[in-house]
Structure formats: C-alpha cells, structure tokens
Amino acid sequence: TGYGERRAVALSDGSTLQLDANTAVDIEMSATQRRVTVRHGQIHVQVARDASRPFDVIANGGATRALGTGFNVRRGDHEVDVAVTEHSVRVSHPRSTLDTQVREGEQLRYDDLGHIGAAVATDLHTVTAWQRGYLIFDNATLDDVVSQMKQYRRGLVIVRDPALRQLRLTGVFRSDDTEALLAALPQSLPVRLRRMPGLVLIERSDAS
C-alpha cells in the first residue's frame, strides 16, 4: 500500500488480510503451511481455521503463530507489536527461548534481538483505530507516535534529541491529517518543529 492507503486482501485459504498505509508483505501458501512476512507497516489478519496448515506472521525475525484467530501486527524499525482481537496466538523468536502466548485483549512487544516482553491487557479499540482512519494514542511515547505517523506521511520526521523520544502523548487524530498531529506536538509537549523541504525536525522547545 502507498502512503495513506489501506487495502483488504482475500487470501486463497479464506483468511482476510487488512493492510495499513505504507505496508508491504510477502504471502506464501503451500500444502503444509501458510506464511505472511511483514516487510514494513501494519496488518490485521483474520485467519481461516485449517488444522493441517499453521498460519505464521513473520516480522523482524520473530513469528506469530495462529489458528482460527484474529490479530494485529505492527512492525517498527526494531520492534514489533502483536495484539490479539480473537482467541490467542503464540509468539517466538529464534534468538529467544521463550514461546509466549498472547490471548484476546492482550498485546506484547518484541524486538529484533529476540527480547520478548510480557503480554499485557490492551484497548483493542485503540489498536485497531487505523482500520477506521484514526490514530489513537494513550500515553504513547513520542517515538511510537512518529513511527506510526511515518506510514501516512511522505518525507522524514526526525526527533533530534533521543531523550525527547520518551515524552508521552495522548490524543485522537485522523490518519489522513498528519499536519494536525504535527501541530499538536508543540501544544502538548516541550518541543518545537523545524521544517525544511522534505524534512521535519522535532527539537526541544528551548533549543538554540
């Protein structure tokens, strides 16, 4: 999908795949397995039950395995968020000995080094807001906010000071209006925007 575009894809096994903006996937179907590899972006998959063929979503090296399940996978630069909307999944990574179950209404994060976080309760309305054209942030880090914004906006958005990335933002924004989201940042956080062609720098408000 392109920037700001969302698409629904019907898979040959009867499963359905929702692609968020700026998302790329590889789909592999064989007689023994089903696999979707997320190259970048975010998906929600509703898996058709087929006990003879496991369904795996691969992202940043980790695997989320499901059978007759609905779940959301968002791949960032180094981390992956998995949230379950129906039944449960198991998350594993070749660099980890953990094999973690995530149940309906829960979410976990793992990174490309194989660190798998604990499954915690999450608000599925917030997780799936992108399917309705919204971005909902509930005490989200600025790092996460910028990561999600990049899916809907051409050009670079860079947080100059690493310490700023942990600032927290709460709000509801339309995914097709990233200008409104950017404009809200200096009103809610101690930051300012510096704009250049094809680039927005987020700096400390007191930066010289």
Side-chain angles (χ1 to χ4, degrees):
T1 53
Y3 290 95
E5 177 191 6
R6 298 191 304 276
R7 185 184 304 174
V9 178
L11 304 184
S12 61
D13 67 331
S15 300
T16 57
L17 193 63
Q18 300 283 339
L19 277 67
D20 196 4
N22 194 24
T23 294
V25 300
D26 293 335
I27 299 170
E28 304 171 65
M29 295 286 177
S30 73
T32 58
Q33 69 176 10
R34 300 169 290 172
R35 176 178 295 174
V36 174
T37 301
V38 182
R39 298 299 180 187
H40 56 80
Q42 178 169 221
I43 66 170
H44 181 274
V45 59
Q46 193 69 41
V47 181
R49 184 170 293 278
D50 183 346
S52 65
R53 293 192 296 169
F55 194 111
D56 293 323
V57 172
I58 310 298
N60 274 5
T64 301
R65 172 159 292 192
L67 187 64
T69 301
F71 61 102
N72 197 88
V73 176
R74 182 170 72 89
R75 175 173 176 167
D77 293 334
H78 302 287
E79 297 176 317
V80 176
D81 292 316
V82 178
V84 179
T85 57
E86 184 181 337
H87 299 312
S88 64
V89 302
R90 298 200 71 84
V91 175
S92 61
H93 196 286
R95 294 187 178 183
S96 174
T97 58
L98 295 178
D99 187 7
T100 305
Q101 184 173 17
V102 190
R103 297 178 175 85
E104 183 174 330
E106 292 182 336
Q107 176 172 307
L108 68 66
R109 172 173 289 185
Y110 68 86
D111 63 25
D112 50 13
L113 297 177
H115 302 129
I116 301 177
V120 297
T122 191
D123 181 357
L124 295 180
H125 181 76
T126 297
V127 170
T128 61
W130 64 269
Q131 297 183 45
R132 303 182 297 276
Y134 288 91
L135 297 173
I136 300 178
F137 302 110
D138 182 8
N139 200 36
T141 65
L142 181 58
D143 198 35
D144 276 344
V145 170
V146 171
S147 177
Q148 293 191 52
M149 188 194 314
K150 288 178 180 178
Q151 292 180 235
Y152 300 89
R153 182 182 183 86
R154 294 186 181 277
L156 295 175
V157 179
I158 297 176
V159 183
R160 294 195 65 179
D161 186 339
L164 296 178
R165 296 172 186 167
Q166 298 308 309
L167 294 175
R168 301 282 175 164
L169 179 72
T170 296
V172 179
F173 304 91
R174 290 190 59 86
S175 59
D176 61 359
D177 190 0
T178 57
E179 279 299 321
L181 173 51
L182 280 172
L185 296 181
Q187 299 175 20
S188 307
L189 303 174
V191 300
R192 71 180 186 186
L193 307 180
R194 182 178 297 183
R195 297 176 182 269
M196 287 172 265
L199 172 65
V200 177
L201 295 177
I202 301 176
E203 306 174 325
R204 288 186 177 276
S205 56
D206 57 356
S208 58

